[in-house]
Amino acid sequence: MSLRQVIGAATGAALLLLVAPSAVAVSRASDELTVDPTGHVAADGTVTLFGTYRCLSASGPVFVSSSVSQGDSRVYYGIGGSSAVCDGAEHRWTNSEKRAPGALTPGTAHVEATLMELSATGLPLPMFHAIQDQDIKVVAG
């Protein structure tokens, strides 16, 4: 490895350490995110997850993202994303994503969902408003 590569790697690691505290903001106690106990998988592999969210305010764009795991807990599939409105009211969210048929099947699955804002100043860093991590039942449909 050349000196240039070593310096580049060290500089990149130092920058990540400086950014990491901002990127791992703690969930806000006043904001809420739920995941419905049932999700759907269609015959063509489309997975749909549902839930609710509430957030009081944001200065940048806010999104609800979700992923699902079934069987191997090391493998998660991203399931869409949707925009969120932080006005203090409760809103429904729905995320869908087409996966290979059979990637997810009816049965128990694990969902991770986040209500995340991208900071509106400078480099858009994620700020987490709420995180939900739970098992659900996936049904055909």
Side-chain angles (χ1 to χ4, degrees):
M1 185 178 265
S2 73
L3 180 59
R4 186 176 187 174
Q5 290 172 317
V6 170
I7 291 172
T11 302
L15 287 173
L16 284 174
L17 289 174
L18 290 173
V19 171
S22 298
V24 188
V26 178
S27 297
R28 297 179 185 182
S30 60
D31 296 334
E32 300 171 356
L33 178 66
T34 70
V35 175
D36 287 1
T38 304
H40 297 261
V41 62
D44 71 353
T46 300
V47 178
T48 306
L49 303 173
F50 313 89
T52 63
Y53 72 89
R54 177 191 324 263
C55 52
L56 298 179
S57 65
S59 59
V62 180
F63 304 94
V64 176
S65 64
S66 56
S67 61
V68 64
S69 176
Q70 189 177 53
D72 187 345
S73 62
R74 298 171 297 170
V75 178
Y76 274 84
Y77 298 98
I79 306 300
S82 50
S83 296
V85 178
C86 290
D87 60 3
E90 183 176 277
H91 299 276
R92 294 280 304 158
W93 63 268
T94 301
N95 289 347
S96 291
E97 188 80 27
K98 187 173 181 178
R99 293 287 162 198
L104 281 118
T105 58
T108 302
H110 189 79
V111 172
E112 291 182 0
T114 60
L115 181 61
M116 179 197 67
E117 176 182 355
L118 291 177
S119 64
T121 58
L123 183 64
L125 298 173
M127 297 183 301
F128 296 99
H129 286 249
I131 300 169
Q132 184 64 21
D133 193 17
Q134 73 182 58
D135 288 336
I136 65 163
K137 181 179 180 182
V138 176
V139 298

